[in-house]
């Protein structure tokens, strides 16, 4: 029953990605709007519009980009490169163009991947006005140097707005957990439809029952989106207690967690706890100021405890930022594993508290309270050790996560032991 | 002369163990009393009695258990299991019983060790009233399923008292070193007659000359004994500067030291110093809230700097808690080594002080003070380095143990260098 | 042009050493004076004289030692050992002697190196009045046991003074960098004419342009010289912000850096940074109170951040303190490498500052400031990472050296990035 339900959910993640995949997103424009509207079918997202020209810290909200069609035709009028087949064919945010030119001249606007002759690269040019096409080496081989080519990009760069989505789930406390994903990439599946799908599933999971923390899900265009949001929500920043950027969470690689700038924030320790206790191969990497929007959250003026959850890391898998990052590259079991690890991390954050042992002098007599008999079998020893560790370290200064780390026992077991001890009044939350 | 004296002492440790071995000890009762009276022949121990029913923190002092005889007879009246042969045959603290039953019924009360068919296990049931017998697999094989068996445990559980021994050696300071061993195990040699024997020898060694610290030796039943003592002596607790639990110190394994809960207390560092400098294989393990009575001293309400000295660790040698932990399992040279390491650790604690260099600006001229000529031969270089290290680090903030650790020289050498420097007035105790 | 200029400098280092090599230096006397006067041709050194008998902390300035000649003649009047050939032949600071004696008696005053039969050892006896000769095993083999020998040391020990040189280069700040080398060794090249030559070259390099720090170069006899200087200049001590002892910097071994007593002072970190980023094999060793005059600067009454730069370490190369430590043992390229690493370390100290990012909220828009286009080619990525790291960590609490360490990028790159960012007003010094 539970399994079939979970399988349905997985199907939902991939189904959502399949619907979103064909849309031509960019940092502004209809692509993002259309994407957020589809997400609204799953979660009650608020859609925000910020006008072109708005000053956001050191930046200015750029023009809105929209595109209808684009092609390169040979003199016979055949479309050799066709935006309708794949939106990656146009350099994202390209200025409009309609020209006839020789291949030599055209080539300055063409991008290929010599190492992967079947694949089309993904290129952008947000802050320098230009235009270009991306195509495979194989496509390029069919061009005739002596032929004339008609190129057309039917795009527009106009005053409009930057669009982003935000979904806030109120918890018992004002303190928030931030979940961020970028929504500016066109037909790329792992980067970052996978992050969007996992975020949506997490939001659906969390809304079902009230939580200690409030949760804020942000669906933003990269860089300018995070900067815009931060600029407009500075009063919220102090409430952000933990945060995570989700990207590339659908590929078959092992999970990679990138620490926050703080290096040992609770979110960092929660991820390390879950990944280590999983017994599965994984990678913990240090913060560096290059990557995704952790760069903005971890800038020195904010220094928020925001890490990054990935599977394969951007730039380290060949499919990254190419047409090969398509729906086939993403695995349902990887999405499921990413979701389930993230949920476990959330449970650590939710459950992490400091307690005091109410019988701190010597050990309390556990036998007569029935705490030793609660669990049988192979886990009996771990359970009893968890009980002893929680009692021993609960002097108010150690959190349950501290105790899990020092005892090398899973957080979930330490948490259960604390609950059981609180129930028999041996433990009290600080 | 010194050697023969030492050999005699060793003989004393083993002789003491040999006298104590046959006694049927438990957490209360005549066995403990008889044991402590024998110890009184060696050291002027005070014997304390605490009445059944006394509240001690979260616990209550249990009934006094005594036993005269116990057996399982077959229908022919033969004693197949006989307490008179080995007191481990009775589950320690068993309620009295006298019944006739079939083997099937009896088996629920029988405990064997299938992996070691010759050995008899040691079992207890202190806090759940029941009865049982322990026997070897080979003995059990002689039982006839169709026969009837008479079982008798001629024990009593009555109001009485819990008994423990305490020996206090007053030193120059009020601050104390606690030496703890448990005295509740029946015929088991390594666990813990070895600890008792080493503690007695240490007490005899220390009483000979006045020390800086006061020393308190406790001979207590496990768990309830430590809790009882702590409950009745809370005013002493703040004076305990260092402490060690002695157990399983007579087997041929390497020394294992378990750190206190604090992890890096002076007692921990003193043990590590002595074990490391010995060049002998050894093991330093982290604190965990499972083991012996360090659990009580290191509970969060006390958090005393109390570690555990062992050779093989409880649960990690097959003889543990079986009839094979007998006098043959214990080696005189292991007892001697345990004693001598413990004595060296005490010398570190006794000698560890902070000094200030009275000529702190530049090096003092050592040549004219004859400090360089004091030692010749191979150790000359180490001696000179010890002199230089003590002078260099004696700014008041470093103890001699700090200096030994940083210089990687033996504490005893650092200590001698400090003495020599103090004698020529280059050093003064802080 | 730059290359030829550098080659000339190298020649200068070796030329200076060649001029200084034959002089018979000791802790006092004409040898040191003559040496310092030669240095005055290169840098405007002040020469200080401190009278015999002056009390300097725990020491007294010793008599002045001078020597004209010394020999051992056989009965045929042949000089078997001749000071005029090699000043190492006389135990340095030997009292005068003129005697005739048998080999047996003479042998108590002879020192050889059995392991290296061609080499003459270097021996001293500063603080115990005696005399002696050093010779090779091969020379000793030519002595005839039955012959009579005339020995003569035409030396004098008289009231006079201890001589040292000091060169102060005033910088923008009063805080100083101390560069120390000892000048008391006779004909030994690596120990320490190499240190003197590198120090002189560094002084010439630094005087050319005003620096942030002031620089103080000390040319002192070992131990007593440093103690004398410290005793007479206590008011300067608090201004010493960094310091380094230079010795054995001309041999072909890898660079060894010995940390200051503080262990992680800025000078220690600057050396580690430069040596690590060089990619060349090197060694970082911990402080110990044995070695050169770091012993005095790092005594507990001063605890100055003074490390030691060496190539092969004293006592660890066979030529150490023998006639084989001659001009052939020293390599121009090693001298050059020592100088260039030391200069790089100085540049770290000079350039190390704390900055604040003036656009700390989110990343500033670098594209429009042209900071990304500044560097091309292979180093482009490192340059961009340096820009991002400096922006990210410049919250006022991190120095550029902190940033270089955390980013694992060369200090020079981090420094350039900070300069570029300051120029576009994204960064301000704290």
């Amino acid at each position: 029953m539970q399994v079939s339900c979970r399988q349905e959910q997985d199907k939902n993640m991939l189904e959502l990605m399949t619907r979103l995949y064909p849309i031509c997103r960019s940092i502004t424009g209809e692509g993002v709007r259309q994407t957020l509207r589809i997400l609204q079918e799953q979660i009650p997202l608020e859609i925000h519009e910020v006008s072109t020209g708005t000053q956001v810290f050191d930046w200015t909200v750029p023009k809105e980009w929209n595109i209808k069609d684009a092609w390169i035709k040979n003199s016979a009028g055949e479309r050799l490169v066709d935006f309708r087949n794949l939106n990656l064919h146009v350099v994202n945010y390209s200025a409009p163009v309609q020209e006839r030119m020789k291949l030599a001249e055209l080539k300055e606007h063409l991008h290929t991947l010599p190492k992967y002759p079947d694949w089309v690269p993904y290129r952008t040019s947000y802050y320098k006005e230009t235009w270009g096409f991306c195509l495979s080496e194989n496509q390029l081989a069919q061009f005739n140097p002596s032929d004339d080519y008609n190129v057309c990009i039917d795009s527009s760069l106009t005053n409009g707005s930057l669009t982003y989505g935000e979904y806030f789930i109120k918890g018992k406390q004002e303190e928030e957990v931030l979940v961020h994903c970028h929504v500016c990439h066109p037909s790329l599946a792992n980067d970052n439809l996978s992050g969007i799908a996992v975020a949506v599933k997490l939001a659906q999971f969390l809304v079902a029952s009230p939580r200690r923390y409030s949760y804020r899900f942000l669906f933003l265009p990269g860089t300018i989106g995070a900067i815009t949001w931060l600029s407009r929500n500075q009063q919220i920043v102090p409430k952000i207690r933990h945060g995570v950027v989700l990207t590339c969470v659908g590929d078959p690689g092992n999970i990679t967690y990138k620490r926050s700038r703080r290096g040992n924030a609770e979110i960092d320790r929660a991820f390390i706890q879950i990944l280590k206790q999983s017994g599965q191969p994984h990678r913990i990497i240090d913060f560096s100021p290059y990557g995704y929007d952790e760069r903005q959250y971890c800038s020195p003026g904010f220094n928020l405890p925001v890490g990054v959850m990935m599977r394969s890391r951007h730039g380290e898998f060949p499919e990254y930022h190419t047409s090969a990052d398509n729906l086939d590259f993403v695995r349902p079991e990887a999405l499921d594993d990413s979701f389930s690890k993230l949920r476990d991390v959330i449970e650590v954050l939710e459950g992490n508290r400091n307690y005091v042992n109410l019988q701190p002098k010597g050990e309390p007599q556990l036998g007569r309270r029935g705490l030793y008999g609660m669990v049988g079998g192979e886990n009996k020893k771990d359970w009893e050790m968890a009980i002893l560790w929680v009692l021993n370290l609960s002097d108010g200064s150690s959190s349950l996560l501290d105790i899990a780390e020092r005892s090398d026992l899973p957080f979930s077991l330490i948490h259960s032991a604390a609950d059981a001890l609180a129930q028999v009044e041996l433990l009290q939350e600080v």
Side-chain angles (χ1 to χ4, degrees), chain A:
Chain A
M1 184 73 173
Q2 209 180 352
V3 168
S4 71
C5 161
R6 199 193 283 170
Q7 281 174 335
E8 200 180 325
Q9 287 263 20
D10 289 350
K11 222 173 100 205
N12 285 352
M13 285 201 274
L14 208 51
E15 257 173 25
L16 177 60
M17 291 174 66
T18 306
R19 280 187 68 192
L20 298 174
Y21 183 73
I23 300 169
C24 182
R25 281 165 291 272
S26 182
I27 52 171
T28 53
E30 276 306 315
V32 174
R33 251 173 234 120
Q34 205 178 332
T35 299
L36 298 177
R37 268 183 230 120
I38 291 171
L39 299 189
Q40 278 181 327
E41 299 171 18
Q42 310 270 336
I43 50 175
L45 206 63
E46 259 184 74
I47 298 179
H48 298 262
E49 301 281 351
V50 184
S51 301
T52 298
T54 305
Q55 189 70 21
V56 286
F57 297 134
D58 193 49
W59 302 62
T60 306
V61 172
K63 289 187 174 158
E64 186 169 327
W65 184 70
N66 288 293
I67 181 163
K68 289 182 192 151
D69 200 357
W71 69 80
I72 305 175
K73 288 182 184 166
N74 61 14
S75 56
E78 296 165 319
R79 287 192 175 205
L80 299 184
V81 175
D82 188 349
F83 172 76
R84 294 172 310 186
N85 292 340
L86 181 69
N87 56 38
L88 299 182
H89 279 314
V90 172
V91 169
N92 199 282
Y93 213 77
S94 273
V97 66
Q98 178 131 23
E99 280 188 47
R100 187 180 180 91
M101 57 183 74
K102 286 281 177 206
L103 182 56
E105 191 186 346
L106 176 57
K107 269 194 165 170
E108 286 169 30
H109 295 271
L110 300 185
H111 306 273
T112 63
L113 283 171
K115 271 180 77 177
Y116 298 96
D118 286 338
W119 298 358
V120 177
Y122 162 58
R123 293 283 183 278
T124 68
S125 184
Y126 302 135
Y127 299 102
K128 189 181 156 198
E129 199 169 305
T130 182
W131 61 269
F133 284 88
C134 301
L135 64 167
S136 71
E137 277 286 317
N138 293 339
Q139 279 177 295
L140 184 59
Q142 289 159 8
F143 280 63
N144 182 344
S146 60
D147 202 356
D148 277 357
Y149 292 93
N150 279 300
V151 301
C152 168
I153 298 179
D154 185 5
S155 68
S156 61
L157 283 164
T158 55
N159 284 335
S161 59
L162 176 150
T163 313
Y164 67 82
E166 186 167 4
Y167 176 33
F168 180 70
I169 305 175
K170 199 165 164 42
K172 289 174 197 147
Q173 293 176 208
E174 284 229 321
E175 287 183 305
E176 304 187 1
V177 180
L178 190 80
V179 180
H180 166 106
C181 40
H182 57 275
V183 293
C184 52
H185 284 29
S187 291
L188 296 166
N190 196 35
D191 180 14
N192 189 32
L193 297 179
S194 68
I196 295 168
V198 169
V200 166
K201 182 163 174 181
L202 183 68
Q204 290 170 333
F205 170 78
L206 290 170
V207 80
S209 65
R211 298 279 163 167
R212 169 186 177 195
Y213 289 117
S214 299
Y215 286 81
R216 188 176 301 273
F217 290 81
L218 296 179
F219 300 87
L220 306 168
T223 308
I224 185 66
I227 288 167
T228 300
W229 187 86
L230 282 163
S231 164
R232 291 159 54 94
N233 293 281
Q234 294 196 60
Q235 77 294 351
I236 291 174
V237 168
K239 299 183 196 164
I240 298 173
R241 178 79 183 272
H242 317 286
V244 63
V245 168
L246 298 179
T247 180
C248 300
V249 290
D251 67 271
N254 299 321
I255 291 181
T256 300
Y257 177 75
K258 176 178 172 180
R259 291 173 187 265
S260 74
R261 180 182 186 268
R262 298 187 186 179
N264 207 25
E266 197 173 336
I267 182 77
D268 302 323
R269 294 169 56 205
F271 263 103
I272 292 165
Q273 163 69 211
I274 290 304
L275 292 174
K276 194 180 161 202
Q277 291 289 345
S278 76
Q280 294 165 9
H282 63 273
R283 215 166 35 138
I284 308 293
I285 59 177
D286 282 340
F287 176 78
S288 82
Y290 186 74
Y292 285 96
D293 278 320
E294 70 279 10
R295 294 160 71 159
Q296 312 311 328
Y297 301 115
C298 296
S299 59
F302 297 115
N303 192 25
L304 288 170
V306 173
V308 185
M309 184 188 194
M310 305 169 265
R311 300 191 76 89
S312 294
R313 191 186 181 190
H314 53 89
E316 295 182 359
F317 55 100
E319 295 85 356
Y320 175 72
H321 277 195
T322 76
S323 57
D325 179 4
N326 56 31
L327 292 167
D328 291 338
F329 181 55
V330 164
R331 306 281 167 86
E333 63 276 15
L335 288 166
D336 190 41
D337 180 59
S338 297
F339 167 71
S340 100
K341 294 289 189 302
L342 181 58
R343 185 197 56 205
D344 291 350
V345 167
I346 297 289
E347 297 301 4
V348 172
L349 300 175
E350 285 285 331
N352 193 25
R353 278 144 219 254
N354 289 35
Y355 288 90
V356 283
N357 178 339
L358 298 174
Q359 293 286 351
K361 297 188 171 182
E363 285 175 8
Q365 199 185 352
L366 296 170
R368 68 171 151 95
R369 290 183 177 87
L371 286 178
Y372 264 19
M374 283 181 68
V375 174
E378 281 188 22
N379 299 321
K380 187 166 181 281
K381 206 191 147 199
D382 279 355
W383 169 259
E384 288 175 10
M385 285 308 295
I387 291 278
L388 293 174
W389 273 112
V390 171
L391 284 170
N392 188 271
L393 295 181
S394 287
D395 54 12
S397 74
S398 296
S399 71
L400 295 186
L401 184 51
D402 292 329
I403 298 173
E405 288 174 351
R406 183 159 177 189
S407 67
D408 200 20
L409 291 170
F411 179 86
S412 56
L413 188 65
I414 293 292
H415 191 193
S416 301
D419 282 350
L421 288 163
Q423 211 137 22
V424 298
E425 289 173 1
L426 283 176
L427 220 57
Q428 190 168 51
E429 200 182 329
V430 178

